[in-house]
Amino acid sequence: MPGPPADITGPDSSPGPAGSSSGPAIVSGPPAGHWPAFNREELKRAHSGDGEALGRFFDHYFDRIFSVVHRFVGSVDAAQDITQDIFLKVRRHISRLDIEKDPAPWLYTVTVNACRDYRRSAWWRMSRQSVPLDHDPDTPELSSNATNPEQALVVAEEERRLQAAIRRLPPDLRLSVLLHDFEGLSHEHIARITGTSHAAARKRHSRALRALADLLGEGATP
Amino acid sequence: MTSRRKMDAGLESVQRSLTRLPRRAATREFRDRLRSQFVRDTIPGRVRGVPHTWWSTRLGMTAMAASSAAAILAFAWLLNTGPAWKLTGTSGSGMVQIDGRPTPLEVPAEIARRLHPGAHVRLPADAQLDLKLPGIAVVQLVGGSDATLPGRPGRWFGRSMVASLDAGEIRISTGPAFRGTRLEVVTPEARAIVTGTTLAVLRPADASCVCVLEGTVSMIHDGSTATVYAGFRRSVFRDGRAPRVEPIRPMETMKLTMLRTQAKQALGR
């Protein structure tokens, strides 16, 4: 189980370089390249086991962790299982956390490792073999921002196709696009989290985008 | 628009779609329960009871793959194991040395027990050992021989056998199942490569001689290979004389004919 890493000093706020000459043209990620920092004083209190601070720590990170995991596995049930594992690890190690550092990089690392571990577990294989009959977790909800029901359906269908394509990517490529484009992390930051070089992270992301484009192209073919 | 630009535009479009993906929320019930457990430090190991299995780890998978491969290899090796040499007769008296241990010729059961593929056998002057590799060959080791028995050939692979003869005589007659097997008899001067035939290899003090009753034998001496045809004997000499080819002597023809008859009965030829 990974403890709080000492070598990850904090997220690199600059998103992935745009229009690199070596890879395909890549649009910039979202402006917020990492999760917002948790209040330092609250972190100290959570570190010492204060219940209220722990609750706020949970509230601060829960939704983001859950949404990354959900996009990785594509199923609410599996995402809840993994998120539970992640918070179990976080709770066990929070007293050893370096409170002078932003815990976000460590949380990313724990999240990535949990996603990888889950993929290797028996549950992953079982969940891939069986699809619940009562609901399809891949089915997106209709967007409340859509101006009319027809547009909402189109948006939902696009999301469904994209999520299905993401699920078909190999795990490392899937993590690469999710961390860079969904979470807005820089390649350098992803390289630190996944334990690869900066160049390897960029290359992997480029491959992931191409694979995703191919998969979406396949889906569009009648 | 060039294909490169089209491709880049496609990738940009994919990337935009990714950045626009909505974030999904967990169920309220799950969130509240996990929050409460997180604060109280009571999160259970897993919600569902299927644990990580040891074989689902990379090390476990590697160990499983390695042990499976080893099991398959062991199984294939067992299946491939061919028949063992059997002692079919002895004659003469005295002690036969098997791997340096004297064994009385009058106790064939003890000789059979001690004989194994690769065993080193030294026979007294008037003795004889008859051996059979069921379906494949019969071998006669004649008195005064100092020889190493060939190994047992595999059924499908590893079908080569090597015997050595330092002194004395060895006669061989092959059976129907010999096809595909390669038997090599090595003497100090030469190597006889048998690929299906009836022959004798003789090793007097200063020469090696291959007598062929039927089929052909390749004889390698001083780096060159010569074929010895049925009805002929080829001798090579230790002192550097030129090899000699001549018809098989009547006595050797008779002995080999007897061995061939014996082989037909024993091997079903």
Side-chain angles (χ1 to χ4, degrees), chain A residues 26 63 67 71 84 91 181, chain B residues 15 22-23 31 38 47 56:
Chain A
I26 293 170
D63 289 334
S67 63
R71 287 298 172 197
Q84 176 164 321
R91 187 65 181 87
D181 300 313
Chain B
Q15 212 172 7
R23 292 184 176 275
R31 185 195 164 105
F38 181 76
V47 178
S56 66

Side-chain angles (χ1 to χ4, degrees), chain A:
Chain A
M1 186 182 295
D7 58 331
I8 297 178
T9 53
D12 177 355
S13 61
S14 60
S20 139
S21 58
S22 61
I26 293 170
V27 296
S28 300
H34 58 91
W35 295 332
F38 187 60
N39 180 283
R40 184 68 54 86
E41 289 305 311
E42 292 277 12
L43 184 60
K44 276 184 190 169
R45 288 172 54 205
H47 183 264
S48 58
D50 180 276
E52 279 184 24
L54 282 167
R56 278 190 283 277
F57 181 93
F58 181 92
D59 294 340
H60 191 80
Y61 292 110
F62 176 83
D63 289 334
R64 286 193 170 255
I65 288 177
F66 181 82
S67 63
V68 172
V69 173
H70 176 257
R71 287 298 172 197
F72 182 84
V73 291
S75 145
V76 172
D77 286 347
Q80 292 189 164
D81 276 359
I82 299 171
T83 306
Q84 176 164 321
D85 277 357
I86 291 167
F87 277 97
L88 173 64
K89 286 173 191 166
V90 170
R91 187 65 181 87
R92 281 181 186 165
H93 290 91
I94 199 163
S95 60
R96 286 189 269 154
L97 197 62
D98 183 351
I99 53 173
E100 297 305 317
K101 291 176 181 170
D102 181 356
W106 171 55
L107 289 170
Y108 269 124
T109 306
V110 174
T111 303
V112 165
N113 289 342
C115 288
R116 284 174 169 167
D117 287 349
Y118 190 80
R119 202 191 138 263
R120 288 195 286 260
S121 72
W123 252 113
W124 169 261
R125 288 192 294 278
M126 285 171 67
S127 69
R128 282 170 70 88
Q129 287 163 8
S130 59
V131 176
L133 295 174
D134 54 344
H135 74 289
D136 178 0
D138 289 345
T139 305
E141 292 155 11
L142 293 183
S143 168
S144 56
N145 297 330
T147 52
N148 59 57
E150 195 177 333
Q151 190 192 351
L153 276 174
V154 169
V155 171
E157 174 58 16
E158 276 180 10
E159 187 192 334
R160 189 199 62 75
R161 281 183 60 230
L162 185 56
Q163 180 63 49
I166 292 171
R167 275 201 86 183
R168 287 176 65 191
L169 285 178
D172 284 345
L173 299 190
R174 197 182 317 168
L175 276 172
S176 177
V177 287
L178 287 177
L179 293 179
H180 188 270
D181 300 313
F182 185 63
E183 280 299 301
L185 297 186
S186 68
H187 291 307
E188 193 180 345
H189 194 174
I190 294 170
R192 281 189 225 155
I193 291 167
T194 55
T196 55
S197 67
H198 184 202
R202 283 179 62 83
K203 210 166 185 177
R204 188 175 287 169
H205 177 252
S206 174
R207 275 175 47 216
L209 275 187
R210 284 175 203 277
L212 205 50
D214 288 345
L215 287 169
L216 289 168
E218 277 175 24
T221 308

Side-chain angles (χ1 to χ4, degrees), chain B residues 165-167 186-190 203 207-208 238:
Chain B
L165 182 71
D166 290 333
V186 180
T187 68
E189 291 81 25
R203 177 73 204 351
S208 289
R238 177 170 265 192

Side-chain angles (χ1 to χ4, degrees), chain B:
Chain B
M1 189 184 272
T2 64
S3 59
R4 167 76 190 228
R5 281 188 179 176
K6 270 185 192 170
M7 190 175 71
D8 288 351
L11 297 184
E12 284 177 21
S13 160
V14 169
Q15 212 172 7
R16 275 195 209 97
S17 303
L18 283 166
T19 57
R20 284 201 298 258
L21 267 178
R23 292 184 176 275
R24 284 301 162 85
T27 60
R28 188 82 220 168
E29 183 194 0
F30 169 74
R31 185 195 164 105
D32 290 347
R33 177 181 56 78
L34 189 60
R35 186 183 195 277
S36 163
Q37 289 171 336
F38 181 76
V39 170
R40 286 183 283 119
D41 195 11
T42 55
I43 300 176
R46 261 192 187 273
V47 178
R48 305 195 196 191
V50 180
H52 279 265
T53 46
W54 67 268
W55 64 83
S56 66
T57 63
R58 189 163 295 180
L59 186 66
M61 283 179 184
T62 309
M64 284 273 283
S67 57
S68 302
I72 289 167
L73 283 176
F75 188 60
W77 180 80
L78 274 176
L79 285 180
N80 182 57
T81 306
W85 286 100
K86 285 183 178 169
L87 183 70
T88 54
T90 59
S91 65
S93 59
M95 303 295 259
V96 55
Q97 300 268 345
I98 302 174
D99 291 331
R101 295 178 68 178
T103 310
L105 270 165
E106 292 78 9
V107 192
E110 184 60 16
I111 297 173
R113 198 179 66 77
R114 290 197 178 167
L115 283 178
H116 61 88
H120 183 214
V121 180
R122 293 182 72 172
L123 282 175
D126 63 339
Q128 182 173 307
L129 285 187
D130 295 315
L131 301 164
K132 178 174 83 168
L133 198 55
I136 296 175
V138 292
V139 168
Q140 211 170 60
L141 275 177
V142 184
S145 290
D146 183 347
T148 303
L149 287 185
R152 53 202 289 188
R155 288 183 201 280
W156 304 289
F157 52 87
R159 288 178 64 82
S160 293
M161 297 182 284
V162 179
S164 71
L165 182 71
D166 290 333
E169 299 174 12
I170 184 169
R171 294 192 185 85
I172 299 162
S173 188
T174 59
F178 189 81
R179 181 176 290 186
T181 306
R182 177 188 157 112
L183 171 61
E184 202 172 309
V185 182
V186 180
T187 68
E189 291 81 25
R191 278 161 49 206
I193 298 170
V194 184
T195 49
T197 190
T198 299
L199 76 150
V201 180
L202 316 178
R203 177 73 204 351
D206 61 343
S208 289
C209 173
V210 173
C211 309
V212 182
L213 181 73
E214 59 178 18
T216 56
V217 173
S218 297
M219 190 177 188
I220 302 173
H221 168 65
D222 272 354
S224 62
T225 306
T227 304
V228 186
Y229 295 95
F232 288 89
R233 56 181 273 158
R234 186 171 193 268
S235 305
V236 295
F237 300 94
R238 177 170 265 192
D239 58 12
R241 274 180 285 163
R244 200 163 66 206
V245 179
E246 54 199 340
I248 296 188
R249 289 173 185 164
M251 178 60 81
E252 193 57 45
T253 303
M254 190 192 76
K255 288 177 180 173
L256 284 172
T257 304
M258 283 170 65
L259 180 70
R260 187 177 60 181
T261 308
Q262 198 180 319
K264 276 182 182 172
Q265 288 166 357
L267 307 175
R269 240 183 355 171

